[in-house]
Amino acid sequence: MITEIEDVNNSKQPLWLQDYIDSPKKQQQLYKKTLIIVIIAQMFGGAGLTAGITVGALLVQDMLGSESVAGIQVAVSTIGSAGTALFIGWLSQRFGRRAGIAFGFFFGGIGAMGVVIATLINSFFLFFVSLFLYGAGTATNLQARYAGTDLATDKQRGTAVSMAMVSTTLGALVSPNLVDIMGEFADSIGVPTLAGPFILAAAAFILAGLVILIFLRPEPLIVSEAIANAKEKKGPLRTVQSNLEKPIINRKGFVIGITIMILTQFVMIAIMTMTPVHMKHHDFGLGEIGLVMSLHIGTMYFPSIFTGPLVDKFGRTIIAVASGVILVISGVVGAFTPPNSIMFLSITVILLGIGWNFGLISGTALLVDATPLSIRAKTQGSVDVWYALSGTVSGALSGWVVAYSSYAVLSISGSILSLLLIIIVIWFSRSQIK
């Protein structure tokens, strides 16, 4: 941590930090190293995230015996995600990315272990507390994408976010297809079948945290802020703890970015949460549900390899509008899909994943563009609170909508909100807000 920094022209920074300030080559090397570490951690994090997504709603339905409460799993875990996102952002701003991200992954792992224990002793209280802690893993998976942007240039930010996210694909694709295997393993050790994937989630989150804690050195956020301040020659360098002058946020970019992220999250969570429940209601097995969900989760993350460069080349708002168009089509397909057609259900969730991916990366790039380094991590944590809360409301409402109407009504509602997203993005992008 930086504890003693004098004027830029009479520098007294630690030697290791001064080396990075003076050497663009070392800066580029650290940028690449940071991306590699984040990519490895995200592979494990993706497995932890998707294990719970695949069977969480089914586990709640099984424990509480009602389809209308199936969305509570996502609601509770995303409340946990919201609560921890702010703390992870604060930790990252004060102590660096390594502390914040590692903490979040470890808490997610503890939550997953708690879910398994709760099912063993049939404790609803422990179950929901554990889901809350499990949400920390979700928040961290999202916050980790920011670490790759700290040393990225304006023209690299979309690509940096995409590289951090695409690495989640491996875990995201593998994890849902291990549902049957983990269920059998759970049976063999006396744990309820549906709790099996949470055993995988616990191990995956803890491994992700260890990768970050051990290897994410030096801190990319500290280095990037020191470099930025040295270039600007504004006098005393700010550290990650200090804030000597009021930072200026680009309001227009901030508002558009957060709007894109929140609305795409709301639509995606609603339809994703109820798809496994809808499939189970129409007699699909766990293997088929796992396959469809792996396609969805894979397309949430794998397109990032293309999305980031597209965002950097064609602009943030164009890709955001494309996100809204894809989500509209996804909702329409979902509404008119025959309930026994695994092919059209797969198309629905594939489009849902791609639309969410476009929205998250374009929105994230706008958010990073709009916030100065001195408050970036803290601001990102605050934004992710609202991002998670949108998922909380969406997850809770989705079960109620399906229980009292239908999956088709839920899908059409998603299309309407996605159309609203397109209108809002176009209006704000043409406004005079600064």
Side-chain angles (χ1 to χ4, degrees):
M1 186 181 301
I2 307 169
T3 56
E4 184 176 20
I5 297 178
E6 295 185 353
D7 188 87
V8 173
N9 299 315
N10 185 22
S11 173
K12 198 175 178 181
Q13 299 91 328
L15 287 176
W16 69 266
L17 181 57
Q18 190 63 48
D19 286 344
Y20 284 102
I21 293 173
D22 295 338
S23 174
K25 182 178 180 182
K26 291 198 72 171
Q27 295 170 21
Q28 191 64 19
Q29 288 173 343
L30 181 57
Y31 168 65
K32 291 178 180 178
K33 176 189 173 184
T34 300
L35 281 181
I36 290 170
I37 300 306
V38 170
I39 284 168
I40 294 170
Q42 289 289 80
M43 288 180 183
F44 291 115
L49 170 69
T50 56
I53 287 175
T54 304
V55 299
L58 299 177
L59 187 56
V60 171
Q61 185 181 2
D62 189 59
M63 290 185 71
L64 300 182
S66 173
E67 187 175 281
S68 64
V69 297
I72 288 179
Q73 176 263 334
V74 171
V76 174
S77 63
T78 48
I79 289 173
S81 176
T84 53
L86 192 61
F87 188 61
I88 292 167
W90 177 83
L91 274 178
S92 297
Q93 192 72 63
R94 185 169 179 80
F95 301 108
R97 299 288 187 188
R98 187 166 64 95
I101 296 172
F103 166 86
F105 276 136
F106 288 148
F107 256 61
I110 292 169
M113 288 189 286
V115 169
V116 176
I117 295 170
T119 59
L120 276 172
I121 63 176
N122 199 33
S123 170
F124 294 129
F125 176 76
L126 179 60
F127 180 71
F128 288 117
V129 169
S130 298
L131 282 176
F132 180 90
L133 294 177
Y134 175 77
T138 304
T140 309
N141 239 297
L142 289 170
Q143 292 260 331
R145 77 193 188 276
Y146 293 123
T149 68
D150 287 332
L151 290 161
T153 66
D154 293 351
K155 296 295 185 182
Q156 291 177 319
R157 284 172 184 158
T159 301
V161 173
S162 71
M163 290 181 70
M165 287 183 60
V166 75
S167 57
T168 310
T169 304
L170 181 60
L173 287 173
V174 171
S175 179
N177 289 298
L178 293 177
V179 167
D180 282 338
I181 295 173
M182 292 306 299
E184 291 171 4
F185 173 73
D187 283 338
S188 71
I189 60 174
V191 173
T193 303
L194 288 174
F198 282 94
I199 299 174
L200 173 63
F205 277 150
I206 290 170
L207 283 171
L210 287 172
V211 168
I212 293 294
L213 187 64
I214 295 170
F215 298 108
L216 193 62
R217 301 168 184 264
E219 286 286 353
L221 185 61
I222 293 175
V223 173
S224 62
E225 183 161 353
I227 292 168
N229 280 282
K231 287 180 178 179
E232 293 167 5
K233 296 183 179 180
K234 288 184 176 178
L237 288 178
R238 294 186 302 255
T239 70
V240 288
Q241 300 110 299
S242 63
N243 186 17
L244 300 181
E245 56 186 64
K246 188 176 181 180
I248 299 173
I249 293 178
N250 180 323
R251 288 179 57 204
K252 182 176 178 177
F254 183 85
V255 169
I256 297 175
I258 194 172
T259 300
I260 294 165
M261 291 171 62
I262 287 176
L263 283 180
T264 53
Q265 170 80 340
F266 192 96
V267 172
M268 188 277 292
I269 287 289
I271 298 175
M272 178 198 71
T273 300
M274 296 312 297
T275 297
V277 176
H278 175 70
M279 292 181 70
K280 186 180 180 184
H281 185 71
H282 290 90
D283 300 322
F284 287 101
L286 281 180
E288 294 167 310
I289 293 172
L291 172 62
V292 170
M293 293 309 293
S294 70
L295 290 172
H296 167 62
I297 296 163
T299 50
M300 284 172 62
Y301 295 99
F302 182 73
S304 300
I305 198 170
F306 308 108
T307 310
L310 288 173
V311 167
D312 288 335
K313 183 174 181 180
F314 295 107
R316 282 62 162 143
T317 53
I318 290 176
I319 303 304
V321 170
S323 165
V325 172
I326 294 169
L327 289 173
V328 168
I329 297 170
S330 171
V332 171
V333 173
F336 294 99
T337 289
N340 60 347
S341 172
I342 194 169
M343 181 181 73
F344 281 102
L345 280 170
S346 297
I347 292 171
T348 298
V349 298
I350 286 171
L351 291 172
L352 187 68
I354 294 171
W356 176 85
N357 177 273
F358 277 33
L360 182 63
I361 293 182
S362 59
T364 298
L366 279 162
L367 181 64
V368 173
D369 292 343
T371 51
L373 275 163
S374 58
I375 59 165
R376 185 169 293 167
K378 184 170 64 175
T379 303
Q380 288 162 347
S382 300
V383 168
D384 279 359
V385 169
W386 293 105
Y387 182 75
L389 286 174
S390 72
T392 301
V393 174
S394 176
L397 288 177
S398 64
W400 182 85
V401 171
V402 171
Y404 294 100
S405 55
S406 66
Y407 183 77
V409 170
L410 180 69
S411 298
I412 285 294
S413 300
S415 288
I416 294 170
L417 283 176
S418 302
L419 186 60
L420 179 63
L421 168 64
I422 296 170
I423 296 169
I424 290 174
V425 169
I426 293 173
W427 185 83
F428 267 107
S429 64
R430 293 179 177 179
S431 71
Q432 300 301 313
I433 296 175
K434 295 183 179 180

